[in-house]
Amino acid sequence: MSIKQISVFVENTPGALYAMTGVLAQNKVDMRAFTLAETSDFGIARIIVDNVYAATTVLKDAGYVHSVAPVLGVAVPNEPGGLNRVLQALTDARVNVEYMYVFQGRQNSGNAYMIFRVADNAAAEGSLAARGIRVLEQEDIEKL
Amino acid sequence: MERYYQPEIETASREQIKAWQDERLVKQVRHVWENVPYYRKKMEEKGVSPEDIRSSDDLHKLPFLSKADLREAYPYGLVAVPLRDCVRIQSTSGTTGKRVVAFYTQHDLDLWEECCARAIVAAGGTNEDVCQVSYGYGLFTGGPGLNGGSHKVGCLTIPTSSGNTERQIMFIRDLSATILCCTPSYAAYIGETMKEMGLTPEQIPLKAGIFGAEAWSEEMRQDIQNTLGIKAYDIYGLTELSGPGVSFECSAQTGMHINEDHFIAEIIDPETGEVLPEGSQGELVFTSITKEAFPLIRYRTRDICTLTRAACPCGRTHVKMTKPQGRTDDMLIIRGVNVFPSQIETVLLNHGYPANYQIIVDRVKSTDTLDVQVEMTPEMFTDNLGEINRRQKELVDGLRSMLGLAAKVTLVAPKSIVRSEGKAVRVIDKRKI
């Protein structure tokens, strides 16, 4: 039930990120979520796209080191305590969150969407489902 | 079954080898005394004359020759025969100063090519083989030396010279080349490119490689052997002495046999010049005893290594030298600590990093800094920053325990370190001292 996140190694130098997004732009890859984790000499760009195969192919051809990992896309109720409920579910399942970031959906639904990188996807999903919290599938990405 | 190009020489008894060296050294000293005023002057300054040299036991009485002498005597000062008898020159790249120009008679070229032929046969080469020479041709000795050796063995020789990697790979595949001769860094690059093309070692026709002209580690050998599916042999030489083939590896892959019928090797203390006993590490010194045009007496190579005459399973009796552990002039002194690039390479490969690296030395606020830049690989990459940082720290710790000093490790993008088609530039020293 997870969705796929592409991580790309980018040097921490002026223009390095621009060069990478340029490759995606030229190949008309639509990014749906993007976040950057950085150290002093390099960064990891984490990206959610519609077409994972197309995006990884153009990145590989352009010589970028990348990896694909399953992450959870969670529909977080857009109301006070919404995120807290999600984290409550993960805490109850004793699942550690490595990192998370916002996914910008196009439609104005009652939900905000967030990407969670967790240690145990199956346990997290089970606990979220038990509380009626929706977890996205790869096919959902295009629609949101 | 071990094969030899010249079995009667390569497996001669130690007594026979000493007899050749005694006779040839006495003759060579007489030759330079009579024909090279530069040598005569140096010998006179040390109070030695040809009468003092009765056998190879008297070698230590002779003065050393250094690269500075070669520069001073440039271009014709050390030529020992009339120029009408010389047929070729070769030259160094001149990266460490003025170029060295070496001269050859036809006889010198024949002996040089025989030395290279010994190396090719030791790597399993026969007249059934297709030998691709991807060393540079021209002034550099790599191409002409192995080319000549390959002809002598009777291999079908492909003189691609260096560069144009796609064409190199096309010839290896289309003509089913079985032996590759080039620098180890270029062999690694060719292997990396073939891997990217999706070729497995089984699909590559090569069976052996003869790689030299720069320092490379045992770990790099394993890497090249695995990627190309070959056995990789080291070869050693200096333009000053002839070129590649001064010594070469046999099937044992535990050091290079020096062609002692042409070269007498000594190990000295680089500080005092004192000759060290067999098994000691020190600077390698060569005397060429058969060279006609450009004979060198007690030439200091600046390479640091060890010699051994312990019996070799291959049956060759000539003395073996270890891979140079470094060069007296390659050695970096960082915060007072002696550092050889080969040590850093060993640590990188042991930690699973590629052999594409660059060492940047600088001086910030009067303290030396050492930055080892290494390329990120798909195998090492994960979306977990903590994991990458942990591996980076392990590498820093590994470098600290090998070198005894702190180094910074910078991970850079794949292919961002320039690949060499000849000798790799590993060290950038930005210190202004």
Side-chain angles (χ1 to χ4, degrees):
Chain A
M1 271 277 280
S2 57
I3 58 177
K4 287 173 177 168
Q5 170 192 265
I6 305 169
S7 301
V8 190
F9 179 85
V10 188
E11 280 189 26
N12 195 353
T13 51
L17 193 56
Y18 169 71
M20 196 274 287
T21 55
V23 169
L24 297 177
Q26 274 163 23
N27 290 281
K28 307 217 178 332
V29 173
D30 192 7
M31 286 190 279
R32 308 305 304 276
F34 186 101
T35 182
L36 190 67
E38 92 287 352
T39 69
S40 59
D41 46 68
F42 69 92
I44 299 175
R46 294 163 178 151
I47 315 169
I48 304 290
V49 297
D50 292 348
N51 189 337
V52 175
Y53 179 75
T56 52
T57 305
V58 299
L59 285 168
K60 184 167 183 283
D61 289 348
Y64 284 95
V65 169
H66 66 271
S67 68
V68 175
V71 292
L72 290 181
V74 181
V76 183
N78 197 357
E79 60 193 29
L83 176 60
N84 192 246
R85 275 180 57 209
V86 173
L87 293 176
Q88 175 76 61
L90 299 179
T91 304
D92 290 349
R94 305 195 61 78
V95 171
N96 189 46
V97 177
E98 289 175 14
Y99 54 83
M100 58 191 240
Y101 53 97
V102 172
F103 177 105
Q104 189 75 46
R106 284 197 197 105
Q107 290 169 8
N108 205 355
S109 68
N111 289 323
Y113 297 97
M114 295 199 77
I115 302 296
F116 286 82
R117 176 74 155 115
V118 298
D120 184 345
N121 277 342
E125 276 176 46
S127 185
L128 289 165
R131 283 168 180 76
I133 300 169
R134 201 174 140 230
V135 177
L136 304 179
E137 292 189 48
Q138 189 69 31
E139 298 82 67
D140 294 329
I141 299 295
E142 295 175 52
K143 299 172 206 151
L144 294 170
Chain B
M1 182 67 194
E2 189 79 24
R3 294 177 55 261
Y4 314 97
Y5 181 66
Q6 290 164 310
E8 70 292 351
I9 297 171
E10 294 175 65
T11 63
S13 68
R14 289 304 312 172
E15 293 72 30
Q16 176 62 67
I17 293 170
K18 174 142 192 335
W20 282 327
Q21 292 189 334
D22 288 346
E23 182 204 330
R24 291 171 187 178
L25 176 68
V26 170
K27 195 167 151 237
Q28 188 72 300
V29 170
R30 174 72 58 192
H31 176 53
V32 299
W33 173 270
E34 286 168 2
N35 296 298
V36 185
Y38 193 94
Y39 270 120
R40 183 189 284 244
K41 184 162 160 282
K42 276 192 83 117
M43 286 172 64
E44 280 170 350
E45 279 168 8
K46 211 169 181 245
V48 201
S49 68
E51 289 71 44
D52 299 317
I53 310 301
R54 296 164 187 282
S55 77
S56 58
D57 301 330
D58 298 321
L59 185 61
H60 68 276
K61 296 175 183 166
L62 291 160
F64 289 115
L65 195 72
S66 70
K67 200 148 188 164
D69 288 303
L70 266 55
R71 282 183 197 137
E72 201 183 322
Y74 175 89
Y76 290 124
L78 290 172
V79 180
V81 297
L83 285 185
R84 64 170 177 274
D85 295 333
C86 295
V87 296
R88 170 94 68 82
I89 69 139
Q90 299 288 158
S91 175
T92 61
S93 52
T95 41
T96 57
K98 200 168 189 170
R99 280 177 180 278
V100 168
V101 173
F103 297 77
Y104 303 76
T105 63
Q106 185 57 53
H107 184 63
D108 291 336
L109 289 178
D110 288 339
L111 296 185
W112 175 28
E113 290 175 356
E114 278 177 16
C115 288
C116 291
R118 290 179 194 175
I120 293 171
V121 173
T126 70
N127 56 8
E128 302 288 338
D129 279 294
V130 177
C131 179
Q132 182 156 320
V133 182
S134 310
Y135 278 114
Y137 279 63
L139 289 169
F140 178 51
T141 51
L146 271 305
N147 186 83
S150 178
H151 281 204
K152 284 243 186 308
V153 175
C155 301
L156 174 59
T157 309
I158 314 177
T160 43
S161 192
S162 61
N164 197 338
T165 307
E166 280 180 20
R167 190 178 64 189
Q168 302 279 359
I169 294 172
M170 184 203 83
F171 276 120
I172 290 172
R173 299 181 70 191
D174 292 358
L175 301 182
S176 293
T178 49
I179 300 175
L180 175 67
C181 307
C182 60
T183 58
S185 54
Y186 197 41
Y189 182 51
I190 290 175
E192 190 184 349
T193 310
M194 288 178 127
K195 197 173 166 185
E196 276 169 15
M197 293 166 67
L199 293 174
T200 61
E202 297 72 38
Q203 293 168 311
I204 301 170
L206 294 171
K207 63 176 192 189
I210 301 173
F211 307 129
E214 65 185 9
W216 53 312
S217 61
E218 200 50 48
E219 290 76 12
M220 188 166 175
R221 187 215 299 269
Q222 294 304 330
D223 246 29
I224 295 173
Q225 293 193 148
N226 293 340
T227 330
L228 290 173
I230 60 171
K231 203 160 171 184
Y233 297 86
D234 204 353
I235 185 166
Y236 173 90
L238 293 88
T239 305
E240 295 90 316
L241 292 167
S242 60
V246 170
S247 67
F248 59 91
E249 244 177 8
C250 60
S251 55
Q253 290 183 312
T254 52
M256 295 174 277
H257 290 282
I258 295 169
N259 286 311
E260 285 188 282
D261 50 330
H262 301 305
F263 306 100
I264 303 179
E266 300 170 275
I267 291 288
I268 63 160
D269 179 331
E271 302 290 328
T272 63
E274 182 199 350
V275 178
L276 300 175
E278 185 181 323
S280 318
Q281 190 179 70
E283 181 180 350
L284 185 58
V285 172
F286 278 114
T287 299
S288 52
I289 49 177
T290 51
K291 212 58 191 303
E292 294 174 339
F294 200 68
L296 297 190
I297 307 289
R298 300 197 86 197
Y299 182 65
R300 296 183 61 157
T301 63
R302 295 178 294 179
D303 283 324
I304 304 288
C305 74
T306 310
L307 298 181
T308 175
R309 290 195 172 79
C312 183
C314 80
R316 286 179 185 77
T317 48
H318 292 223
V319 67
K320 280 204 292 196
M321 59 181 270
T322 56
K323 251 178 206 307
Q325 309 295 295
R327 284 171 67 81
T328 54
D329 53 356
D330 253 12
M331 189 179 77
L332 294 160
I333 300 177
I334 301 170
R335 277 171 253 152
V337 178
N338 297 348
V339 174
F340 290 105
S342 57
Q343 296 175 297
I344 293 175
E345 183 177 307
T346 299
V347 178
L348 286 175
L349 290 159
N350 280 341
H351 282 77
Y353 288 87
N356 290 306
Y357 63 94
Q358 208 150 38
I359 298 162
I360 304 194
V361 188
D362 205 347
R363 181 161 287 184
V364 180
K365 291 178 191 155
S366 73
T367 302
D368 294 338
T369 60
L370 171 62
D371 183 7
V372 179
Q373 300 199 333
V374 59
E375 290 181 358
M376 177 52 92
T377 61
E379 294 75 32
M380 303 293 292
F381 185 64
T382 137
D383 68 315
N384 188 332
L385 209 52
E387 176 67 14
I388 296 178
N389 284 338
R390 189 183 60 74
R391 289 196 200 150
Q392 208 171 351
K393 191 179 170 298
E394 277 177 6
L395 182 55
V396 169
D397 292 344
L399 287 168
R400 193 200 313 275
S401 65
M402 169 69 94
L403 308 174
L405 62 88
K408 179 176 181 258
V409 170
T410 306
L411 295 171
V412 298
K415 301 283 162 80
S416 61
I417 294 172
V418 180
R419 300 298 194 274
S420 81
E421 291 172 348
K423 296 193 185 199
V425 178
R426 299 293 193 201
V427 180
I428 297 174
D429 196 338
K430 295 177 172 172
R431 291 177 293 188
K432 291 177 185 66
I433 303 171

